[in-house]
Amino acid sequence: MGGQEHTLRYAVAAWFGANGDRERAHTTRVFVKAPRTGVEDPIICVYVDSHAYVTDLNANRDLYLARLANWGYHVSGIEFSVDREARRKVVAGRQDTAQRASHEKPLSSEQQAYVQQLLEGAPEALRPSISKAIIASIQATDQF
């Protein structure tokens, strides 16, 4: 397993674990970018479902950086963007959640074990939503 995938998984777990239901509901994808020259920590990129929510997130950028740091995930920056692909799906009224879930391939036992490992530090009440987010990220990126 390469370092980039490892960083991506922890970024997803940290973002969903460090934030609340509102952030989890609007987040569509989380990516990690290489750090800028001279900086060791990566940049986390969070894609959300609306332009209005990007504005809200940018207004509170320092709060999100602090939450990630408190979760134990240190980044040199954070970028928020609208996920145009997800937005098109919403506007076009594409497949509903149940239909999409039926087309997703199940996780391997190794992937399931890794999800459980990431959830170990998460509060019990947040584990179901964090687990869903991590699984969706693994399935969407097919990186493991």
Side-chain angles (χ1 to χ4, degrees), residues 26 48-55 81-83 87:
H26 287 279
V48 296
D49 57 6
S50 73
H51 290 284
Y53 202 65
V54 167
T55 302
S81 298
V82 174
D83 185 344
R87 187 75 183 142

Side-chain angles (χ1 to χ4, degrees), residues 5-60:
E5 292 89 13
H6 183 73
T7 302
L8 174 63
R9 287 192 186 87
Y10 278 111
V12 171
W15 175 256
F16 284 99
N19 292 295
D21 292 338
R22 185 170 184 240
E23 289 85 2
R24 286 190 290 274
H26 287 279
T27 300
T28 59
R29 292 189 276 175
V30 176
F31 292 95
V32 179
K33 284 177 33 177
R36 294 184 178 99
T37 306
V39 180
E40 291 186 25
D41 293 326
I43 298 168
I44 189 169
C45 304
V46 179
Y47 285 76
V48 296
D49 57 6
S50 73
H51 290 284
Y53 202 65
V54 167
T55 302
D56 289 348
L57 292 171
N58 278 319
N60 294 305

Side-chain angles (χ1 to χ4, degrees), residues 16-18 24 71 118-130:
F16 284 99
R24 286 190 290 274
W71 187 262
L118 289 175
L119 292 173
E120 286 177 5
E124 192 65 38
L126 298 177
R127 287 184 183 193
S129 58
I130 295 171

Side-chain angles (χ1 to χ4, degrees), residues 19 22 26-27 34-35 72-73 75 79 87 90 105 110-111 129-130 143:
N19 292 295
R22 185 170 184 240
H26 287 279
T27 300
Y73 188 74
V75 293
E79 296 177 2
R87 187 75 183 142
V90 169
K105 63 181 179 183
E110 181 184 55
Q111 289 169 324
S129 58
I130 295 171
Q143 292 180 345

